[in-house]
Amino acid sequence: MGALFSFVMVILLVLLAYAGIKAANLQIFFGVVIPYAAILTFLLGFVYRMLKWSTSPVPFRIPTTCGQQKSLPWVKQNKIENPSTALGATVRMILEVFLFRSLFRNTKAELRDGRLGYGSSKWLWLGSLAFHVSFFTISFRHLRLFLQPVPSPVHFVETLDGFLQIGAPTFLITGSILLLAALFLLLRRFLLPTIRYISLPADYFPLFLIIAIASTGILMRYFLKIDVVSVKELTMGLVSLNPMIPEKIDVIFYIHLFLISVLLAYFPFSKLMHMGGVFLSPTRNLSNNNRMVRHINPWNYPVKARTYEEYEDEFREKMKNAGIPVEKE
Amino acid sequence: MAKLPTPDELSKINYKPPEKRWVNTPAEFKDGFWCFGTRPKYLQAVDMPNPREWKPIEDDWKLPENWKEIFLEGFAERLKKYRSFRLFMDICVRCGACADKCHFFLGTGDPKNMPVLRAELLRSVYRNYFTTSGKLLGKLAGAREITFDVLRELWYYAFQCTECRRCSVFCPYGIDTAEITIICRELLNLLGLNTDWTMGPVANCYRTGNHLGLEPHTIKSIIESMVEDIETITGIKIEPTFNRKGAEILFITPSGDLFGDPGTYTCMGYMMLFHELGLNYTWSTLAAEGGNFGLFTSNEMAKKLAYKIYAEAKRLKVKWILGGECGHMWRVWNQYLETWHGPTDFLETPVSPITGTKFDYTSSLKAVHIAEFTADLIKHGKLNLNPSRNDYLKVTFHDSCNTARGMGIFEEPRHIIRNVCNHFYEMPENTIREQTFCCGSGSGLNAGENMELRMRGGFPRANAVKHVHKHYGINMLANICAIDRAALKPLMDYWVPGVEVCGVHELVGNALVMKGEKERTTTLRSEPLPEKEAKENV
Ligand code: SF4
Ligand code: SF4
């Protein structure tokens, strides 16, 4: 249900852009207005969400400890999985953000004849990593459309990406990896009963959208071979705030651009915000040094608790009879 | 009470979720899965709202008129107070990595026991009232209104989570469903919807300082009867003190160690050790409870119950605090205690009077875990140990969730066990240390009426014990948690008969050769030492 709905939505978006260009000649709308609006929504939305999270304080230091704590000098601490310093916590975060450390732990439980076993299960880790790395590489590569001259790191990444050195234009591997990884993540949702059970439209929609973006990109580059020079004229126009619409751009480009705009605008309102959120996660980004440094809760307030005096008042006679010292005889 | 199915019946678990979507499937309350609702007197005792007689199984929970308002206001307030909560409501991508990591899912196959779905139960409500997409798109965005059915469902599943954090280890964003459950239970408590088994101890603890409601003279006499047992076993008379001002150390342990075996044997172990060291310590009859069922109720309640710890340390003018073997007590101490009730400038950085070790990693909290304390003693060769007295045992060690994932104490207890026992074997890798499986009865779920749930929740743990029982003949499951000592026993009797449960310091007590002791013929359990028995029978 959720999958079908999301699929239809993405198809409608494609058709919308197609019709907009082909039937209504809305090049300016799809090539200028929408991209600007999308970028603006993305930036403002992203910042807003991050601020919103940051305004809720972290009242307690609650890292999930995944290794030996710092204690006696001869006990070997796991300085990364149970950090006691900011450095350790930083390394932990880097491993989490760039290498998906926690997903790497993934196991799959299996019950056979009343016995539970836990097999290592790295597919999700591999698929997600492939997905994210290729996504970011591709985004980075696209900087060539927005910068003049094209900076050398962008050239460099592009060369790396084309290491297979086949085809003209050179085949860049990340595009296909992204597509395959996204399909893998989608198939998981279709085929694994538990994952299907928990999936929402909001899980399918971005996947279909990204699949559509990757597909139109690949189509453009290798099959329809659109005029890159004109595309760069358009994109440079956008960056220099001097928007213009070159003539010879195929409709497929506008579809691609529109889908990306939708993704950008959708981003801050969706689970995709995990990109920013992961940095704020208190179970990961804090060091477990509560016993060394007192953590301050900004809204700590006094509570009425039972005092010793009240306690002794209630039990004084019994305490005296039992020979337990009391404050007031 | 519901009849408990046999282990064979129970271990046939179907992990395939039903076809019907979960939002359209209201919770079905199964006997043996839920705890009784709290009696009003317990709520009244600690001034908590909406006390009344109510039964979870009935259709009328006698909720206050404006219960939705209370719930949603409480929700909004906590979103503002806890970044963890707001973030965890927002960033789950439903990747499912946490799904089969929860012992309750593994033991029940109920899809709503997948951590992600347990959280979605609340998250769906969050979307409806607190997100733009939820407000605009409703169901399409996975949002739903808070209705009585939803409330029932939240209650049912909030009390099928032991707040063990195993899911959090595997989540790529560290989403901690325990944190979500903790807050969900707080919200339920605004409506007076705690369980009797949690609320009773809270009320007791407020009045007497301990969960069991033991009054000061009773605490003293219980400990004195242990002293007598120790004398019978070792010939040594030890003399603990109570509420003694000017002692160097305040010793605090969960009250579970005072009541019922095998906790009491652990407690005897502590006292024998302290006596042998000539430690200058005192008990406090008010702070005779390190455990804190407030944690399973609300942050405020937990804070109230924890007040006595530093207050008693201050009143008795001790230098530092030594804490016994307890899981959630140490999570509370490590994560909350000093934030609530610090600073602790009236105490000193703990120093072991025996070895001179300065425990500077606890220079602020000023509390040392007894496993750290004893491991340090052993490392410095300060104890005369005869591990062969534990030779009749084949021991494995269960890491408690709280000390594992809310603190990270792994090596210290193992170091002790290796020195006091000759036969120690680990359970499989995926079931120990940070990946340890819960006993299934933590966070106030160790009641009697939900026994089937407990046996199911403990299934993965028991399964791992069964494995080492079969391969190495394990007959003793050691741990450093009072709830474990109480909960693992029935769990073992059910799943792996023949395996006993003990605290680490019971093993220490058995192995400890005390100055001037008589030849021991029994263990701390007053059972004949097997080799002695064998010799006599020759
Ligand atoms: S592992 Fe984390 S992100 Fe994935 S479904 Fe579970 S809670 Fe959500
Ligand atoms: S905290 Fe433990 S019991 Fe609760 S959902 Fe996570 S794994 Fe399950």
Side-chain angles (χ1 to χ4, degrees):
Chain A
M1 240 316 280
L4 188 65
F5 172 81
S6 304
F7 180 72
V8 170
M9 280 300 289
V10 172
I11 296 293
L12 283 179
L13 289 172
V14 171
L15 291 177
L16 189 69
Y18 183 81
I21 300 296
K22 281 285 179 193
N25 268 328
L26 292 173
Q27 270 84 347
I28 299 199
F29 183 71
F30 283 97
V32 178
V33 180
I34 289 277
Y36 273 141
I39 281 280
L40 213 63
T41 316
F42 174 76
L43 290 178
L44 292 179
F46 198 98
V47 171
Y48 173 78
R49 288 296 295 274
M50 291 300 278
L51 284 179
K52 186 124 186 182
W53 284 328
S54 324
T55 48
S56 295
V58 181
F60 304 104
R61 207 187 267 133
I62 52 163
T64 307
T65 56
C66 299
Q68 171 63 38
Q69 63 166 355
K70 177 179 167 59
S71 66
L72 299 160
W74 50 272
V75 174
K76 194 167 175 297
Q77 179 199 359
N78 188 332
K79 292 194 168 137
I80 296 171
E81 307 282 10
N82 191 344
S84 55
T85 60
L87 178 66
T90 311
V91 175
R92 190 181 197 196
M93 283 308 291
I94 289 174
L95 291 180
E96 196 63 86
V97 171
F98 292 104
L99 294 175
F100 300 0
R101 170 69 185 99
S102 296
L103 268 190
F104 191 69
R105 277 195 194 96
N106 196 28
T107 54
K108 186 171 169 0
E110 252 172 287
L111 181 64
R112 267 198 220 119
D113 310 323
R115 254 180 303 148
L116 273 170
Y118 314 92
S120 157
S121 165
K122 304 261 186 275
W123 287 107
L124 176 60
W125 172 80
L126 192 70
S128 314
L129 200 63
F131 178 83
H132 286 82
V133 169
S134 50
F135 194 96
F136 280 98
T137 313
I138 294 169
S139 310
F140 188 74
R141 274 208 273 107
H142 276 65
L143 283 179
R144 71 148 39 249
L145 296 174
F146 300 94
L147 298 167
Q148 189 62 31
V150 179
S152 52
V154 176
H155 274 303
F156 177 69
V157 167
E158 205 173 289
T159 318
L160 272 187
D161 206 345
F163 78 103
L164 288 178
Q165 299 198 335
I166 42 170
T170 320
F171 176 70
L172 301 176
I173 193 144
T174 45
S176 320
I177 296 182
L178 179 66
L179 196 58
L180 288 177
L183 282 170
F184 164 75
L185 294 177
L186 189 65
L187 276 181
R188 272 185 89 236
R189 292 206 183 270
F190 285 151
L191 299 181
L192 303 181
T194 45
I195 310 299
R196 187 169 60 227
Y197 197 67
I198 57 176
S199 294
L200 295 175
D203 300 314
Y204 293 110
F205 179 68
L207 277 175
F208 280 121
L209 194 59
I210 289 168
I211 289 172
I213 290 172
S215 314
T216 47
I218 289 172
L219 260 180
M220 259 190 309
R221 181 174 171 93
Y222 304 108
F223 299 98
L224 302 175
K225 305 202 175 166
I226 60 155
D227 179 8
V228 188
V229 179
S230 311
V231 167
K232 184 144 185 181
E233 272 173 40
L234 185 144
T235 51
M236 285 312 292
L238 287 175
V239 199
S240 60
L241 299 182
N242 245 330
M244 52 92 69
I245 299 292
E247 285 196 359
K248 295 176 291 186
I249 303 185
D250 192 88
V251 62
I252 184 86
F253 168 76
Y254 288 99
I255 297 176
H256 187 69
L257 184 61
F258 181 58
L259 295 177
I260 291 171
S261 304
V262 171
L263 183 69
L264 281 174
Y266 174 74
F267 200 102
F269 305 98
S270 69
K271 69 167 194 177
L272 303 179
M273 276 305 291
H274 68 262
M275 174 180 135
V278 59
F279 291 94
L280 298 180
S281 183
T283 57
R284 289 289 185 275
N285 69 7
L286 293 167
S287 48
N288 179 30
N289 62 349
N290 272 328
R291 291 165 83 189
M292 287 164 260
V293 187
R294 180 177 175 224
H295 183 81
I296 303 294
N297 171 3
W299 49 260
N300 197 18
Y301 56 92
V303 292
K304 156 119 192 41
R306 173 111 151 149
T307 61
Y308 175 79
E309 287 69 33
E310 290 167 0
Y311 171 84
E312 188 182 301
D313 284 346
E314 182 170 346
F315 297 115
R316 184 168 297 110
E317 285 316 306
K318 290 174 175 167
M319 289 169 81
K320 274 163 54 180
N321 288 340
I324 300 170
V326 289
E327 298 272 341
K328 275 194 240 157
E329 280 302 325
Chain B
M1 203 182 291
K3 209 179 133 291
L4 197 57
T6 66
D8 260 356
E9 289 164 4
L10 218 125
S11 56
K12 293 191 181 72
I13 302 156
N14 175 14
Y15 297 124
K16 206 170 169 265
E19 280 308 312
K20 197 167 159 196
R21 295 188 53 216
W22 68 264
V23 249
N24 304 327
T25 325
E28 178 202 338
F29 278 45
K30 291 199 198 109
D31 279 350
F33 278 65
W34 49 275
C35 296
F36 299 143
T38 179
R39 272 168 275 182
K41 63 174 184 188
Y42 294 146
L43 293 172
Q44 280 150 354
V46 289
D47 279 337
M48 290 196 31
N50 295 307
R52 66 198 180 276
E53 294 284 351
W54 69 287
K55 292 210 170 67
I57 196 73
E58 284 174 359
D59 280 339
D60 181 6
W61 281 9
K62 302 180 195 141
L63 293 165
E65 199 69 15
N66 58 341
W67 70 267
K68 290 186 186 176
E69 222 173 289
I70 299 176
F71 187 90
L72 292 173
E73 267 169 26
F75 209 129
E77 184 192 334
R78 281 156 188 81
L79 288 170
K80 284 204 193 80
K81 279 176 149 176
Y82 293 91
R83 183 177 304 167
S84 53
F85 188 41
R86 188 181 277 283
L87 199 73
F88 296 164
M89 285 292 106
D90 280 327
I91 62 171
C92 172
V93 296
R94 287 162 299 279
C95 68
C98 57
D100 61 353
K101 307 305 181 286
C102 175
H103 51 285
F104 281 118
F105 176 64
L106 292 174
T108 63
D110 182 342
K112 287 179 189 166
N113 271 328
M114 295 191 276
V116 45
L117 206 43
R118 192 189 313 286
E120 285 287 312
L121 300 179
L122 196 61
R123 212 175 264 134
S124 53
V125 175
Y126 165 75
R127 289 194 198 101
N128 196 64
Y129 299 95
F130 304 102
T131 69
T132 325
S133 53
K135 280 180 198 156
L136 291 177
L137 302 173
K139 272 196 198 130
L140 211 51
R144 61 174 180 170
E145 277 176 42
I146 178 85
T147 60
F148 179 61
D149 270 344
V150 172
L151 187 73
R152 281 178 81 244
E153 185 176 56
L154 288 171
W155 188 85
Y156 190 62
Y157 291 102
F159 290 98
Q160 292 191 36
C161 166
T162 43
E163 305 178 355
C164 78
R165 308 189 108 186
R166 192 169 191 268
C167 44
S168 167
V169 169
F170 294 89
C171 173
Y173 319 116
I175 292 176
D176 182 7
T177 308
E179 184 82 354
I180 297 173
T181 297
I182 286 174
I183 291 179
C184 185
R185 289 198 194 173
E186 268 199 44
L187 296 174
L188 294 166
N189 266 288
L190 297 176
L191 304 172
L193 297 175
N194 210 335
T195 67
D196 206 53
W197 188 261
T198 306
M199 209 52 224
V202 166
N204 279 338
C205 198
Y206 191 78
R207 190 174 80 96
T208 61
N210 63 80
H211 291 153
L212 302 169
L214 306 171
E215 299 188 353
H217 56 291
T218 318
I219 292 179
K220 187 166 180 237
S221 67
I222 286 176
I223 291 179
E224 277 166 355
S225 78
M226 290 187 209
V227 166
E228 280 167 29
D229 289 346
I230 294 173
E231 192 175 0
T232 315
I233 296 163
T234 65
I236 292 175
K237 174 134 179 78
I238 66 175
E239 279 163 356
T241 57
F242 301 87
N243 298 4
R244 176 167 62 91
K245 285 194 182 171
E248 183 180 355
I249 298 164
L250 172 62
F251 177 64
I252 300 179
T253 199
S255 63
D257 285 348
L258 301 180
F259 200 80
D261 48 16
T264 45
Y265 306 130
T266 309
C267 194
M268 285 158 67
Y270 305 144
M271 290 197 290
M272 289 161 66
L273 176 72
F274 299 160
H275 174 85
E276 184 59 17
L277 299 171
L279 205 66
N280 179 8
Y281 79 104
T282 182
W283 292 86
S284 153
T285 54
L286 172 55
E289 175 68 85
N292 191 329
F293 271 38
L295 179 67
F296 318 135
T297 300
S298 72
N299 192 291
E300 186 171 300
M301 201 63 237
K303 183 176 171 186
K304 286 183 183 180
L305 297 185
Y307 169 76
K308 60 183 179 257
I309 308 284
Y310 284 139
E312 277 295 89
K314 194 169 186 177
R315 186 180 71 86
L316 297 172
K317 301 196 175 61
V318 299
K319 289 188 182 148
W320 54 276
I321 300 170
L322 182 60
E325 297 182 9
C326 181
H328 76 285
M329 152 178 154
W330 273 99
R331 170 140 157 222
V332 167
W333 286 15
N334 187 45
Q335 295 190 339
Y336 307 107
L337 181 61
E338 210 202 347
T339 299
W340 286 331
H341 296 300
T344 56
D345 38 20
F346 52 91
L347 294 171
E348 292 173 14
T349 299
V351 176
S352 168
I354 319 300
T355 65
T357 300
K358 192 168 187 191
F359 301 97
D360 37 21
Y361 56 88
T362 183
S363 57
S364 192
L365 186 75
K366 301 193 175 80
V368 176
H369 191 293
I370 190 154
E372 299 162 356
F373 181 73
T374 305
D376 173 65
L377 292 167
I378 293 176
K379 186 76 183 175
H380 284 85
K382 298 290 181 189
L383 299 182
N384 185 0
L385 298 167
N386 177 4
S388 71
R389 283 190 199 154
N390 283 320
D391 271 356
Y392 70 107
L393 298 176
K394 294 212 160 62
V395 181
T396 192
F397 181 69
H398 161 72
D399 291 280
S400 309
C401 315
N402 287 303
T403 46
R405 293 180 282 260
M407 184 169 172
I409 175 165
F410 298 117
E411 292 306 332
E412 297 87 340
R414 286 178 169 80
H415 183 77
I416 300 174
I417 295 176
R418 285 196 191 98
N419 281 279
V420 297
C421 300
N422 288 320
H423 312 293
F424 171 59
Y425 302 90
E426 292 276 16
M427 283 180 274
E429 210 188 344
N430 292 117
T431 69
I432 54 169
R433 296 182 185 257
E434 72 275 7
Q435 299 197 26
T436 187
F437 274 111
C438 183
C439 60
S441 306
S443 81
L445 298 190
N446 49 333
E449 61 270 21
N450 61 341
M451 196 49 89
E452 181 174 342
L453 177 78
R454 291 176 51 192
M455 295 302 109
R456 286 181 178 278
F459 173 57
R461 169 40 76 227
N463 217 262
V465 178
K466 198 167 181 172
H467 178 81
V468 284
H469 175 65
K470 216 169 119 194
H471 285 83
Y472 309 112
I474 290 297
N475 57 9
M476 185 56 90
L477 179 57
N479 58 73
I480 48 168
C481 171
I483 291 184
D484 279 331
R485 287 189 282 278
L488 289 173
K489 224 175 138 216
L491 189 77
M492 290 301 112
D493 291 346
Y494 182 80
W495 288 110
V496 206
V499 175
E500 290 289 321
V501 178
C502 74
V504 168
H505 277 77
E506 179 183 340
L507 300 172
V508 173
N510 273 329
L512 186 70
V513 181
M514 300 171 76
K515 287 183 275 300
E517 71 176 16
K518 66 174 194 191
E519 192 179 355
R520 294 209 204 166
T521 53
T522 68
T523 66
L524 294 193
R525 301 189 174 201
S526 297
E527 290 159 0
L529 270 171
E531 82 265 31
K532 291 273 158 23
E533 197 180 31
K535 265 185 218 151
E536 271 158 30
N537 289 346
V538 172

